[in-house]
Amino acid sequence: ERSGNIIIHGLFDDPCENDGDLKHLVDPILNHLEGGLGGVYGFARIGRYREGVNRPVKLRLSSGDLRDHLLSNKSRLRNVDDLKDVYLSPDLTLKERKARRRLVAERKARKEAEPGKVFVIRDGKVVERVQSSSD
């Protein structure tokens, strides 16, 4: 079941890597996201090793709530020098990934057509983000 899984992209990959090495790469990410390894059932690289390509890491979590918590805090990784190139995403099916790709392409096209506006993806639709006036 994918509802409790997260995919981590951008972690350095080594052909001689073992589970202990991978744990040392994953642990700091979870600590910065206030998750810790407590709710993690397992983790593994996806795919075969290829020179120059960092394979994603699949995390199996104890619940969808923990997944949602980690994903909602993922922007914190941008503030950590060693983790700036690390990205988190939910584990999606092929059909969901295709639908997401279409939405991202639509958002990009709308952004190019209307450069002064900001568009976001919400509830499966591309919408304009309304800036709140806090003057």
Side-chain angles (χ1 to χ4, degrees):
E1 184 172 300
R2 295 175 186 263
S3 66
N5 296 341
I6 287 182
I7 306 296
I8 302 175
H9 301 272
L11 285 178
F12 177 74
D13 196 0
D14 183 357
C16 301
E17 181 177 80
N18 60 36
D19 287 343
D21 298 333
L22 192 54
K23 180 180 185 282
H24 288 298
L25 292 173
V26 170
D27 195 31
I29 294 169
L30 295 176
N31 287 335
H32 283 290
L33 299 177
E34 297 179 358
L37 283 172
V40 176
Y41 282 139
F43 44 86
R45 291 276 184 183
I46 300 173
R48 292 185 178 169
Y49 177 80
R50 290 186 316 191
E51 188 71 35
V53 176
N54 292 330
R55 296 175 293 165
V57 175
K58 178 179 176 179
L59 280 184
R60 291 181 53 224
L61 303 171
S62 59
S63 70
D65 290 337
L66 177 58
R67 180 196 71 170
D68 294 342
H69 172 74
L70 294 175
L71 289 173
S72 68
N73 290 329
K74 69 183 180 181
S75 62
R76 293 180 183 184
L77 296 177
R78 287 187 228 143
N79 301 326
V80 182
D81 289 335
D82 295 342
L83 302 176
K84 284 185 179 186
D85 297 327
V86 173
Y87 301 94
L88 300 180
S89 65
D91 187 11
L92 303 176
T93 64
L94 180 60
K95 185 177 178 180
E96 291 169 327
R97 289 194 305 265
K98 285 181 180 180
R100 174 87 180 151
R101 229 176 271 131
R102 279 194 303 274
L103 289 170
V104 170
E106 180 186 341
R107 182 184 69 189
K108 184 177 180 183
R110 288 184 68 180
K111 182 179 177 182
E112 289 173 0
E114 302 177 59
K117 296 182 179 179
V118 177
F119 295 96
V120 295
I121 298 171
R122 289 276 151 64
D123 298 325
K125 298 177 185 171
V126 177
V127 295
E128 182 181 351
R129 181 170 36 189
V130 179
Q131 300 291 335
S132 62
S133 58
S134 54
D135 295 324

